[in-house]
Amino acid sequence: EVQLVESGGGLAQPGGSLRLSCAVSGITLDSYAVGWFRQGPGEEREGVSCISNSDGTSYTADSVRGRFTISSDNAKNTVYLQMNSLKSEDTGVYYCAAILVIRNSQCIQWSVGPYGMDYWGEGTLVTVSS
């Protein structure tokens, strides 16, 4: 059974930091691109960041570039999202997702939208507020 389990969400003040974790089981990070989507109140789900160990590529949305960093630990089969300089507009549910790598630059899918993902986590809530 494949599971993607997110953790690390919570309340942070503007300018603060949080680190999200996505613990992956049942698939390996060598075969799947894994990353994060988020959905703010009343908004559509959007791609935030992705990492693909299979082809060494990654993707980070313009809205978070320079503030969020994605990384992975193959030994723990876990993907992390370090979020710094948080803003109120970063508030939302953050979902971990995985897609089988079948072409180069599979992470480009995160720029297209939440389509075609093979697996999803249940999400973790991030609230940025003073």
Side-chain angles (χ1 to χ4, degrees):
E1 179 186 9
V2 177
Q3 287 190 314
L4 280 64
V5 180
E6 304 97 335
S7 62
L11 176 65
Q13 292 188 339
S17 298
L18 287 172
R19 188 177 82 155
L20 305 183
S21 299
C22 174
V24 180
S25 60
I27 58 174
T28 68
L29 300 184
D30 289 338
S31 300
Y32 283 77
V34 179
W36 298 89
F37 288 84
R38 70 183 181 185
Q39 189 164 14
E43 298 179 357
E44 295 184 351
R45 196 171 297 189
E46 63 173 353
V48 176
S49 192
C50 166
I51 188 167
S52 174
N53 291 335
S54 175
D55 58 18
T57 61
S58 63
Y59 165 82
T60 300
D62 289 343
S63 58
V64 303
R65 188 170 295 123
R67 300 188 298 120
F68 291 11
T69 303
I70 193 167
S71 63
S72 65
D73 184 333
N74 280 11
K76 296 182 178 180
N77 224 33
T78 298
V79 174
Y80 303 97
L81 185 69
Q82 178 65 45
M83 306 187 296
N84 298 329
S85 302
L86 284 163
K87 304 176 180 180
S88 58
E89 51 262 44
D90 295 320
T91 293
V93 179
Y94 284 68
Y95 298 90
C96 185
I99 186 170
L100 181 66
V101 175
I102 59 173
R103 63 174 186 177
N104 290 336
S105 303
Q106 191 71 58
C107 278
I108 197 68
Q109 189 64 37
W110 264 252
S111 68
V112 175
Y115 313 111
M117 296 295 135
D118 293 304
Y119 303 103
W120 287 92
E122 294 188 350
T124 185
L125 177 63
V126 171
T127 303
V128 183
S129 175
S130 56

